[in-house]
Amino acid sequence: MATATDSRRPASKGEKVADWADGRLGIYGLAKANMRKIFPDHWSFMLGEICLYSFIIIILTGVYLTLFFKPSMAELVYDGSYGPMNGIHMTEAYASTLDISFDVRGGLLVRQIHHWAALIFIAAMAVHMMRVFFTGAFRKPREINWLFGFLLLVLGCIAGFTGYSLPDDLLSGTGVRFMQGAIMGMPLVGTYLAMFLYGGEFPGDDVIPRFFSIHVLLVPGIMLGLLVAHLILVFYHKHTQFAGPGRTNKNVVGMPLLPVYMAKAGGFFFLVFGVITVIAGAVTINPIWVLGPYRPDQVSTGAQPDWYMGWTEGMIRMMPGWEWVIPTGHTINFGVFIPLMVVGVIPIAIALYPFFESWLTGDKREHHIADRPRNVPTRTAFGVAWLSWVFMCMIGGGNDLWATHLHLSINSITWFVRIGFFVVPPIVFWITRRICLGLQRRDRDKVLHGRESGIIKRLPHGEFIEVHEPLAQEEMHTLTAHEQYRPLEAGPKVDENGVVRKQGVVERVRTKLSKNYFGDAGQIPKPTAEEYREVTSGHGHH
Amino acid sequence: MKKLSVRRRHPLAALVVLLIALAATGGLYATFAPADKAKAEESSAQSLAIDEGKKLYQVGCASCHGTGGQGSSDGPSLVGVGAAAVDFQVGTGRMPLQQPGAQAPKKPVAYSQTEIDQLAAYVASLGPGPAQPNKSDYDPAGGDAARGGDLFRTNCAQCHNFIGKGGALTHGKFAPDLGGVTPKHMYEAMETGPQNMPVFPESLLKQKDKQDIIAWLDTVNSDKAEEPGGYGLGGLGPVSEGLFAWVIGLVLLIGVACWVAAHTAKARKS
């Protein structure tokens, strides 16, 4: 601040610059408030950083690619440095991608960094989201930030799909055709929408330039805004932490942003960049030069979208190809229309879960301590079941490769996925919940009876017992720090005047769900201090 | 001239003309057919090959294809499949069949090339069919890879994938990976349509077209195929790329995250 300059000694150069900047930007106040911001240390809290850094890498490499890429569907005959495509008709988009790969200095490397970083970006977002989900870090006050993150994931998929389509090669062109089919599958409006998007009959001349605008301008712009908002909210809410001695819902135990986290984060950025660059330098991704330019009359087997769209591919592949021709002569294609309707259900199911849970618990308090997944068995089971649901769709999306590489019949795989889509998630849900309850029992046992030491002792009367070592105080605290909800009571059937109390369906469902979540079957009561004292007082041993 | 005209009505004139004609024919034949002996040898070699082939056939093939190549409930008729089909099926080890199934897989070859040629000669003798191609027909060096790529994407990629890495068909059938298949066998496969593959006769894909396709596969899916982007992950596209991004990429990065998290600043004790 200006007043900080002492008049008795001349200000150093650095001070002068800082003073100048502060007078105009108010940096001092910002820095003072945030420089010593504390962040807890845990590897899983760095998953979001992987997303952030791969996003930055994507933007940097993407800018380089726009310098050379021509988003045009004008046709030309290739005559360039890649021999096996010489004399082939193609669009400028495809030809310029060949040029980027073979003629632009570093072009192929940058293209591969861009694409690998994109795959890793979305994978990291998915893992980051799962971390937040399974630790309950989406609870108040972080629901909005959860939605921001979810939107970033959805937009990441859109950015990925549009980017994958830009080179106009035979693989991505098939994806663009897939999309056109999906749009046309919508009753009434489908054909109009398709004509509008593609600027006429498929493939038209417009889709690549339009995807280009969406890919380099619209979607990244929104993502950047959401990303900043996401980070501001992380600062504002402060980071969650796992339970432990000295850690409460009201503090954050960790290291300050400056200098520790700045150094760590800066170093981590370069590590992420390095790993992605090594992968991009050693492993091919999307070798468009052998795929050939897109032509609507050509198609290849093994045409899949990038992994993050694999579940949509799977839904189309598993859906029987039903279609009706209604009396007006119009076709309703259920084979495409039904998957298109259901496709939104899977992401929305996980996106809205936090609101469902807060409605169920009725808990209006803030939560800054992250849950261990085992301590909320039903939520954890729901999350794993959801993952298995997505995974079933992914298997369906790659059914041909499962068939050729495991020597199976593609028809059997498709039927497995059709049935598994409905059957596997409930089974996974049940198994996961059992595992969580088992782990809770083990924690309870450890707290009350200590850790098995492996030492067998023979008592004077001949009995053998295993010596259990009591846990350290801190460990016991960590294992019992979580809070356990009680199930909602149904409330009396009649009110105080003896009149039958109306109980709505919603309330009854909520009571029942609450019992499932927090009743005897839903969680193992954590050991209480009394139980511990009773067990350790001597006479209650085992 | 007079003598001739006087005697042309002689009763022996016809005989004389006949003798002269025979002598001329014989003389001309003797003059212009010096390869007579070699022809006969080749023909006997051919019939020898057919005989040998027939013996091999009776032992190795007849149980399914019938004693005369007429086919049975266990195997199709071989009349008219041609030498090319035999050379492909036996030369890639698909025949003799290991076990009945959705499709005969490639496996170690059971016969020597001489025996295969003998079998081919025998089967070719059952009825006319595609012969074994000459090297100049299928040599990838003589083909145009770019044109072949276009033809491949139009005619073959639906089942065999962009660069012939193979793909799934219904009920356990499959289009095999074309990496490592010899150009001759590729040519024969196109001519004869083995297993579930359609036939691409001269009327569909000309010899030049086939050679171009072979040149394309030689460029992108063989030992000498260049991989400018680095290791190709099997050429299978986004599925293997996605798997790699998760299993190697993300796991590496999470490992790095664990390492960074484990190396934290220590509070100085003072």
Side-chain angles (χ1 to χ4, degrees), chain A residues 118-372:
Chain A
L119 293 196
I120 286 169
F121 173 49
I122 299 175
M125 278 201 283
V127 176
H128 175 51
M129 182 178 174
M130 287 302 113
R131 198 282 294 172
V132 170
F133 182 87
F134 287 116
T135 60
F138 53 73
R139 290 171 297 172
K140 190 184 172 187
R142 298 183 176 80
E143 299 101 321
I144 304 282
N145 220 15
W146 161 266
L147 284 184
F148 281 0
F150 172 73
L151 277 177
L152 279 166
L153 179 59
V154 172
L155 288 169
C157 293
I158 294 173
F161 179 77
T162 48
Y164 155 96
S165 306
L166 287 183
D168 204 23
D169 54 282
L170 188 52
L171 175 62
S172 71
T174 308
V176 175
R177 178 62 143 174
F178 177 119
M179 193 181 142
Q180 189 231 10
I183 295 173
M184 298 241 287
M186 275 188 249
L188 298 177
V189 293
T191 42
Y192 295 96
L193 279 179
M195 284 291 198
F196 168 71
L197 178 66
Y198 292 83
E201 283 291 350
F202 185 83
D205 302 320
D206 291 342
V207 69
I208 296 290
R210 284 178 185 176
F211 271 22
F212 184 69
S213 304
I214 295 171
H215 179 72
V216 306
L217 190 67
L218 182 65
V219 175
I222 301 173
M223 286 180 83
L224 210 56
L226 275 174
L227 181 69
V228 171
H230 195 76
L231 290 176
I232 289 175
L233 281 180
V234 169
F235 261 73
Y236 174 67
H237 294 142
K238 300 170 193 67
H239 209 286
T240 52
Q241 58 188 346
F242 282 110
R247 298 178 189 174
T248 71
N249 208 27
K250 295 209 159 69
N251 69 6
V252 185
V253 177
M255 295 285 176
L257 180 67
L258 215 85
V260 179
Y261 272 95
M262 270 314 195
K264 279 188 139 192
F268 192 39
F269 169 76
F270 289 108
L271 285 168
V272 172
F273 207 159
V275 167
I276 291 176
T277 307
V278 167
I279 289 173
V283 186
T284 312
I285 188 162
N286 199 19
I288 55 102
W289 52 89
V290 291
L291 304 182
Y294 183 63
R295 261 173 53 176
D297 62 330
Q298 295 178 341
V299 72
S300 167
T301 186
Q304 268 100 358
D306 276 342
W307 78 263
Y308 44 84
M309 299 303 281
W311 53 285
T312 62
E313 175 86 15
M315 288 179 113
I316 292 278
R317 287 190 185 202
M318 76 172 86
M319 179 71 199
W322 297 330
E323 66 174 37
W324 286 354
V325 180
I326 53 175
T328 55
H330 295 83
T331 307
I332 302 183
N333 186 346
F334 292 102
V336 178
F337 180 58
I338 291 179
L340 196 66
M341 292 297 103
V342 183
V343 106
V345 171
I346 292 183
I348 287 170
I350 200 88
L352 294 186
Y353 179 84
F355 301 95
F356 164 77
E357 197 182 292
S358 79
W359 166 77
L360 183 68
T361 59
D363 191 349
K364 302 273 183 277
R365 296 165 304 163
E366 292 201 354
H367 291 277
H368 299 289
I369 297 284
D371 285 322
R372 295 174 84 207

Side-chain angles (χ1 to χ4, degrees), chain A residues 84-132:
Chain A
M85 279 296 152
N86 266 334
I88 301 291
H89 273 272
M90 56 182 65
T91 58
E92 272 196 83
Y94 185 75
S96 62
T97 314
L98 283 180
D99 291 344
I100 288 172
S101 305
F102 295 105
D103 297 310
V104 172
R105 192 170 295 272
L108 182 55
L109 179 66
V110 172
R111 237 197 86 218
Q112 296 203 143
I113 293 175
H114 190 71
H115 205 144
W116 277 121
L119 293 196
I120 286 169
F121 173 49
I122 299 175
M125 278 201 283
V127 176
H128 175 51
M129 182 178 174
M130 287 302 113
R131 198 282 294 172
V132 170

